[in-house]
Amino acid sequence: MPYWLEQIFRKKELAQSSVYVGDITSNDHQPRILICLFRGLLVFMASYATIIGVLDCFELPFNRPIVIGFLFIISMVVALLYLHKLLFYTGYFLILGIFTRQLIYYYLYANSGFQAITNVIFEEYSDFFKMDFLREAQEIYTNRYETITIAVFFIGTFLSLLLNVTISGYMNTIETILITFPFLEIGFYIFKKPPLHCVLLLLSVYLTVAILQYSKNFKMQVKSKRTKEFIRLKFKKTHFFYYQTNLKGQIRTLLLSAVIVFGLGIIASPLYNVPPATYRPNALRTEADNLIKIYLQNGIGGLFDRYNAKGGVSSNGRLGGISSVRPDFQTDLIVTFAPYSYETIYLKGFTGSQYYQSQWLPHTYKELSVADTEIYMTENNIKAYDNLFLPKGDKQAKMQIKNVDAYENEVLLPYYAESEETGFPVGETMTIGFYPYMTYDYEGKDLSIPADYDEYIHNYCLQVPEELKWELLSYCHKNEIGQNYDPYQEIPQNIPAEDRNDYINEQRRLLAYEVYSHFIKNFDYTMAPGSTPVYYDFVDYFLNYQQRGYCVHFASSAVLLLRSMGVPCRYVEGYCIPATLVAEGQLLPEENVADWYKGAHSLEEQGVVEVEVSDAYAHAWIEIYMEGYGFIPFEITPADMNSDMGIPNLAGMFAGLFDIDFTMADAPEDTMNDVVRNPEDALKRFLPTLSATRILIPLLLFISGILLVVFILQGNQELKKVSRRKEWLRKKKYDLLIHENYLQFSKVFYKKLTTASSCKNTLYPSCSNLLPDELCKLVSKCLTIVSEKKQKLSLTEKDLDFYRIHVTKGMYSLSGITINEYNELLRIEKELYKLCKLLK
């Protein structure tokens, strides 16, 4: 500390406490360079285990001797930055400058190597998840042996710099784990295990850093010219004195950690090398899998939404901008009605007829017909024409819908509703009359369809973008969809005229079921498909690359597939109310069913219910035009569409996320895969598979764990002693320190006098707790006994007089001793311990 700065501190402390304590010094200087090299060894172990573990895990080609040598050199270099303040303040800038210059010079090689590593990892993940398509990075240079080696130089340099900060600077365990373990988790996640020695090396570093961090004996001043025994720190108005790092203690800590970790590793190695059992993801693992699939196919952009949507449905036909559906399960609608069927009730909102650039557009068109007659149709025109097919009869119903938090720009109506509402503000309630539609008893009508509506059905509802026509037809041909259906084929002559519509409708129904079956067999339903890349078409990307999605994906793709094969159909968004949700509704006993429903039921009278519909039931489906029936709703999304929407059970949720499967490979199949509900049966089935090895390994692991706990508790006692000494130093209680040191030396000296053959016949100490005068007399006699070896000691009679006087003063005087006297006593004590070693 500079003199002028010390004077400032001195004045402040004297003003605050009337006492000033300067720097505490000691002659026991630690070798700074060796301490730095030890920290460099820890950095090397961590970086080696991380990088070599990943490279070997994925069997990547690289020059092993050069990479290992480079990691060792760069680890030692960055650790030596703490050797001197000049190196510390300039070394990081110098290394980063060289790093940047070399990266620019070897950019193409390093980039190709990094892309090669990425491609190999992506391929392994693609094989694990059985994905047909994923992004592939471009490698300019194809010699992976060279490019990966060069890339590792830059990765290793950057990793070593980070580890040097967390280990040499802060000795922070959490940060060290966060920097290194995620790299190994890349392999562990898909059950590809890094070499066992890499895992054990990393665990040894973690344990060493944790012990040193907990003990707080790792600090080393950067700015000082030499290492002092104590570091003086100030927090608010209080000064603290901490022991600095001790090289021998750190080495012992590392060796002990390595023995513990490698001992446990050798015991557990048979389990580590066992092949993984059957892959059984839990709720959290499934969610993580979805995110990884999105990243593999869509990149980081696929994880973000481009617009808001309820249940993934946007209400205006926009597609592909939702990465994952996250329902809030809050009520959007409150629907009151009298249940009349087990079928799902659809509340229809947005209807899309034209597909254009990954968006469905509402049906408003102005074109020229074949007869050059202008056709102009608005949404209301088409709704009016749709009502030509209202199944008016003996069944009539009433429904009340309250908009709690649904879209305001879409009027939600049940099928075949008689309503001319154009808006549905939040907070308002609509009462709607409608004609219940039940598929089992509805008969078609032989209507005279207006020319403009017929043009709409057989032209606009068959619209497919020109750029997708060939893709869709090729897709259908490749997957053998609709091979027996030809929309232009003449109807067989043996079918009566009155049955021709039924024949056409049956063909369309069978074709829709073909598409539905194809989706079930080849596509996955998921609430987290990832957003569609901006420059891809939504349907094309879903069918050919993504192959997973939710209702919007299936409905949009089905409409275009059916249209490409000549089936008029439309895309619809809204809400669905399945029978399971109706069963959870609140019964309203005060309501009369006759006021809400008239006509035949397909189930027994249930009464009037009030159902709360959340955004989890926002849905998209399709409408297929059936001759004589109009547009009929068809559920094209694979069954159990809401299976992903429930709140997952937290029990066991984290078990498989960071999974290293230690299941024994030779265990019976039913032991690993079947669920045994009776614990006694499970025990009976498992006992025959036990062997001596299987019993011994868990037992050894348990014993090792107990020994580790004992070691930690014992170490904790030593740490408490160190903490107590720190507290005494902080409070300047040198008398307490001298008293403790004196008692400790008295016990050692007494034991030596009673066991050394050269002393026990001539020197007879009265007790182990000697007074300073008695102890100094015995020490003086011991000096005479070892006079021939006295040249190894710098202890004199003058030192003994100083020791006797000041120990007595420190233990019994109210004034105590000074800092300089305390330091001199420490020096003499070291010489006294040397004297004890010479007594034999």
Side-chain angles (χ1 to χ4, degrees):
M1 181 185 299
Y3 177 77
W4 60 271
L5 186 60
E6 184 176 3
Q7 292 302 312
I8 294 175
F9 286 144
R10 181 175 181 275
K11 290 180 180 179
K12 287 185 177 180
E13 288 189 34
L14 286 173
Q16 293 173 1
S17 58
S18 300
V19 176
Y20 171 70
V21 179
D23 289 336
I24 300 177
T25 60
S26 172
N27 294 326
D28 184 20
H29 301 306
Q30 295 292 324
R32 174 178 287 272
I33 188 170
L34 295 181
I35 294 173
C36 291
L37 292 177
F38 174 79
R39 306 282 179 86
L41 178 62
L42 291 179
V43 172
F44 167 70
M45 291 171 60
S47 58
Y48 168 89
T50 303
I51 293 177
I52 302 300
V54 173
L55 295 177
D56 286 351
C57 177
F58 291 96
E59 300 178 357
L60 293 165
F62 67 101
N63 192 317
R64 187 178 298 272
I66 291 180
V67 167
I68 295 176
F70 175 80
L71 291 177
F72 181 80
I73 292 172
I74 192 63
S75 299
M76 294 302 171
V77 169
V78 297
L80 287 173
L81 295 179
Y82 283 82
L83 185 61
H84 191 272
K85 64 178 179 179
L86 182 62
L87 281 177
F88 181 80
Y89 289 120
T90 61
Y92 277 109
F93 294 103
L94 182 62
I95 292 175
L96 288 175
I98 297 174
F99 177 87
T100 304
R101 188 263 181 192
Q102 295 301 107
L103 182 59
I104 294 173
Y105 188 79
Y106 291 102
Y107 171 75
L108 294 179
Y109 288 95
N111 182 65
S112 296
F114 182 77
Q115 303 299 355
I117 296 172
T118 303
N119 286 336
V120 171
I121 294 175
F122 276 25
E123 289 168 6
E124 293 289 345
Y125 270 77
S126 175
D127 293 341
F128 180 79
F129 290 116
K130 298 180 175 60
M131 299 169 62
D132 296 329
F133 167 81
L134 72 160
R135 298 175 304 117
E136 185 174 355
Q138 182 180 5
E139 301 176 41
I140 298 176
Y141 296 105
T142 57
N143 188 341
R144 289 185 171 179
Y145 182 81
E146 294 180 358
T147 58
I148 291 177
T149 301
I150 293 174
V152 168
F153 289 165
F154 294 99
I155 297 172
T157 301
F158 187 69
L159 182 62
S160 298
L161 287 172
L162 293 178
L163 287 172
N164 190 49
V165 173
T166 63
I167 293 177
S168 297
Y170 302 105
M171 203 65 71
N172 191 298
T173 312
I174 301 299
E175 292 179 1
T176 304
I177 294 174
L178 291 177
I179 291 173
T180 54
F181 185 76
F183 290 97
L184 297 185
E185 176 59 22
I186 295 173
F188 281 133
Y189 195 86
I190 57 174
F191 306 107
K192 293 185 72 65
K193 301 170 184 175
L196 180 59
H197 76 277
C198 291
V199 178
L200 298 180
L201 272 178
L202 206 54
L203 293 177
S204 299
V205 173
Y206 293 162
L207 184 57
T208 302
V209 173
I211 294 174
L212 293 177
Q213 179 187 9
Y214 179 71
S215 67
K216 300 186 184 305
N217 294 326
F218 63 86
K219 296 184 180 296
M220 183 171 64
Q221 288 178 305
V222 177
K223 297 180 182 180
S224 60
K225 295 181 180 179
R226 59 174 184 167
T227 305
K228 298 179 181 179
E229 186 178 358
F230 306 105
I231 293 180
R232 173 178 175 168
L233 300 176
K234 183 178 180 181
F235 181 72
K236 294 182 179 180
K237 296 183 178 180
T238 306
H239 290 265
F240 298 88
F241 294 88
Y242 289 98
Y243 282 100
Q244 289 205 96
T245 184
N246 181 276
L247 178 61
K248 293 181 181 179
Q250 288 186 100
I251 294 175
R252 292 192 190 102
T253 303
L254 176 60
L255 292 176
L256 183 60
S257 301
V259 169
I260 293 174
V261 171
F262 276 83
L264 295 176
I266 293 172
I267 295 172
S269 60
L271 296 175
Y272 185 83
N273 296 320
V274 167
T278 305
Y279 175 59
R280 300 184 298 273
N282 58 23
L284 187 59
R285 176 67 186 246
T286 302
E287 183 68 20
D289 288 351
N290 289 332
L291 295 177
I292 290 173
K293 291 177 184 177
I294 293 172
Y295 175 73
L296 293 177
Q297 284 191 335
N298 303 6
I300 196 69
L303 299 173
F304 301 98
D305 297 340
R306 296 198 291 269
Y307 52 78
N308 295 324
K310 291 184 178 296
V313 181
S314 66
S315 90
N316 55 7
R318 283 187 293 179
L319 307 173
I322 300 298
S323 64
S324 61
V325 180
R326 307 176 185 91
D328 58 14
F329 298 97
Q330 301 299 313
T331 302
D332 282 2
L333 302 171
I334 297 178
V335 183
T336 305
F337 66 101
Y340 55 87
S341 166
Y342 288 110
E343 296 180 10
T344 297
I345 297 174
Y346 292 94
L347 301 180
K348 179 180 175 180
F350 173 83
T351 303
S353 297
Q354 185 180 15
Y355 181 81
Y356 177 72
Q357 294 184 351
S358 299
Q359 182 172 0
W360 288 102
L361 302 176
H363 29 245
T364 299
Y365 306 95
K366 185 177 182 180
E367 297 287 347
L368 292 177
S369 68
V370 178
D372 294 332
T373 303
E374 187 180 71
I375 298 176
Y376 180 75
M377 300 190 71
T378 66
E379 189 171 354
N380 291 333
N381 296 145
I382 295 176
K383 285 183 178 179
Y385 283 135
D386 288 346
N387 287 339
L388 293 173
F389 297 95
L390 287 178
K392 296 180 180 179
D394 62 338
K395 296 186 291 297
Q396 292 184 347
K398 181 177 71 172
M399 180 178 287
Q400 191 177 80
I401 306 175
K402 181 178 180 180
N403 186 353
V404 178
D405 189 27
Y407 293 114
E408 297 187 1
N409 57 338
E410 294 295 341
V411 180
L412 297 165
L413 300 173
Y415 271 85
Y416 306 110
E418 294 182 311
S419 176
E420 297 182 358
E421 297 285 347
T422 57
F424 194 14
V426 172
E428 287 198 3
T429 302
M430 286 194 310
T431 301
I432 305 156
F434 66 101
Y435 297 93
Y437 165 73
M438 287 181 274
T439 57
Y440 69 91
D441 65 352
Y442 178 49
E443 296 183 0
K445 298 178 181 181
D446 187 10
L447 296 175
S448 177
I449 305 298
D452 51 356
Y453 188 53
D454 185 74
E455 178 76 7
Y456 164 74
I457 294 170
H458 297 96
N459 189 358
Y460 297 113
C461 291
L462 287 173
Q463 175 266 341
V464 176
E466 289 294 332
E467 63 273 13
L468 290 180
K469 284 184 178 179
W470 176 249
E471 293 289 339
L472 295 171
L473 290 173
S474 299
Y475 184 87
C476 292
H477 178 74
K478 181 177 65 176
N479 293 281
E480 299 181 352
I481 301 174
Q483 299 298 304
N484 300 321
Y485 177 78
D486 184 359
Y488 304 104
Q489 182 181 6
E490 293 185 2
I491 300 174
Q493 295 295 328
N494 59 345
I495 297 178
E498 63 272 15
D499 295 335
R500 292 192 173 188
N501 281 349
D502 291 339
Y503 175 81
I504 295 173
N505 292 339
E506 181 64 15
Q507 294 295 312
R508 292 175 180 175
R509 186 185 66 83
L510 293 175
L511 189 58
Y513 274 110
E514 273 194 58
V515 175
Y516 178 74
S517 299
H518 174 72
F519 284 159
I520 290 178
K521 293 177 183 177
N522 301 286
F523 288 73
D524 294 328
Y525 181 89
T526 176
M527 301 297 287
S531 58
T532 303
V534 177
Y535 298 106
Y536 279 83
D537 178 79
F538 176 78
V539 172
D540 179 47
Y541 187 76
F542 171 71
L543 292 175
N544 294 298
Y545 305 114
Q546 200 169 22
Q547 297 180 342
R548 66 183 187 278
Y550 53 95
C551 57
V552 170
H553 297 76
F554 291 102
S556 299
S557 301
V559 169
L560 292 188
L561 286 173
L562 291 172
R563 285 183 175 185
S564 69
M565 294 181 288
V567 178
C569 49
R570 302 188 301 204
Y571 170 85
V572 185
E573 293 177 349
Y575 285 79
C576 65
I577 307 177
T580 53
L581 184 60
V582 175
E584 297 174 0
Q586 180 182 357
L587 190 64
L588 304 178
E590 67 277 6
E591 295 289 343
N592 185 5
V593 177
D595 296 335
W596 292 83
Y597 187 88
K598 296 178 182 178
H601 288 74
S602 64
L603 48 75
E604 295 183 4
E605 186 175 298
Q606 301 293 312
V608 180
V609 297
E610 184 179 87
V611 180
E612 294 186 1
V613 183
S614 71
D615 61 341
Y617 294 94
H619 190 43
W621 61 94
I622 70 173
E623 291 177 341
I624 300 175
Y625 181 75
M626 297 294 187
E627 302 292 341
Y629 292 81
F631 284 95
I632 303 300
F634 190 91
E635 183 56 75
I636 202 69
T637 303
D640 196 21
M641 69 167 196
N642 291 320
S643 60
D644 290 359
M645 295 185 181
I647 299 175
N649 183 7
L650 294 176
M653 192 180 240
F654 295 91
L657 184 56
F658 302 105
D659 195 0
I660 306 174
D661 200 321
F662 289 142
T663 307
M664 301 302 289
D666 54 345
E669 292 184 2
D670 55 357
T671 305
M672 289 193 283
N673 298 325
D674 291 350
V675 178
V676 183
R677 300 189 180 278
N678 190 339
E680 295 182 358
D681 293 341
L683 183 61
K684 291 178 182 178
R685 297 171 67 181
F686 185 68
L687 280 176
T689 67
L690 292 177
S691 62
T693 304
R694 293 190 184 179
I695 297 174
L696 181 61
I697 290 177
L699 183 61
L700 290 175
L701 289 174
F702 176 76
I703 294 174
S704 301
I706 294 297
L707 293 176
L708 180 61
V709 171
V710 172
F711 163 74
I712 292 175
L713 293 177
Q714 183 64 29
N716 189 43
Q717 296 297 324
E718 298 297 324
L719 291 174
K720 287 182 178 179
K721 292 181 181 179
V722 174
S723 299
R724 185 172 66 249
R725 293 173 66 84
K726 292 178 184 176
E727 182 69 15
W728 289 345
L729 280 172
R730 184 179 68 84
K731 295 181 178 180
K732 300 176 282 294
K733 299 292 185 180
Y734 304 110
D735 52 347
L736 297 174
L737 285 170
I738 288 298
H739 188 230
E740 183 183 44
N741 294 343
Y742 178 79
L743 291 178
Q744 184 177 354
F745 174 72
S746 297
K747 293 178 182 178
V748 173
F749 187 61
Y750 174 80
K751 184 177 180 180
K752 199 66 177 178
L753 291 180
T754 55
T755 55
S757 58
S758 60
C759 298
K760 62 181 180 180
N761 295 327
T762 57
L763 301 176
Y764 300 97
S766 58
C767 63
S768 59
N769 295 325
L770 298 171
L771 292 175
D773 287 341
E774 296 174 331
L775 185 139
C776 289
K777 290 179 181 179
L778 291 174
V779 170
S780 179
K781 293 181 180 179
C782 290
L783 283 174
T784 304
I785 294 174
V786 295
S787 58
E788 67 278 4
K789 300 179 182 179
K790 192 174 181 180
Q791 65 276 10
K792 295 182 179 180
L793 296 173
S794 60
L795 188 66
T796 63
E797 293 293 340
K798 185 178 180 181
D799 291 335
L800 290 178
D801 290 338
F802 182 89
Y803 184 79
R804 174 178 54 79
I805 294 171
H806 288 84
V807 166
T808 304
K809 180 181 177 182
M811 290 194 298
Y812 306 117
S813 172
L814 295 176
S815 60
I817 59 176
T818 64
I819 299 173
N820 293 331
E821 291 171 343
Y822 171 73
N823 290 332
E824 182 65 17
L825 289 176
L826 290 179
R827 184 191 68 80
I828 297 173
E829 279 184 358
K830 290 182 180 179
E831 297 299 321
L832 291 174
Y833 279 109
K834 289 182 182 179
L835 174 65
C836 290
K837 291 181 181 179
L838 295 175
L839 296 174
K840 297 181 180 179

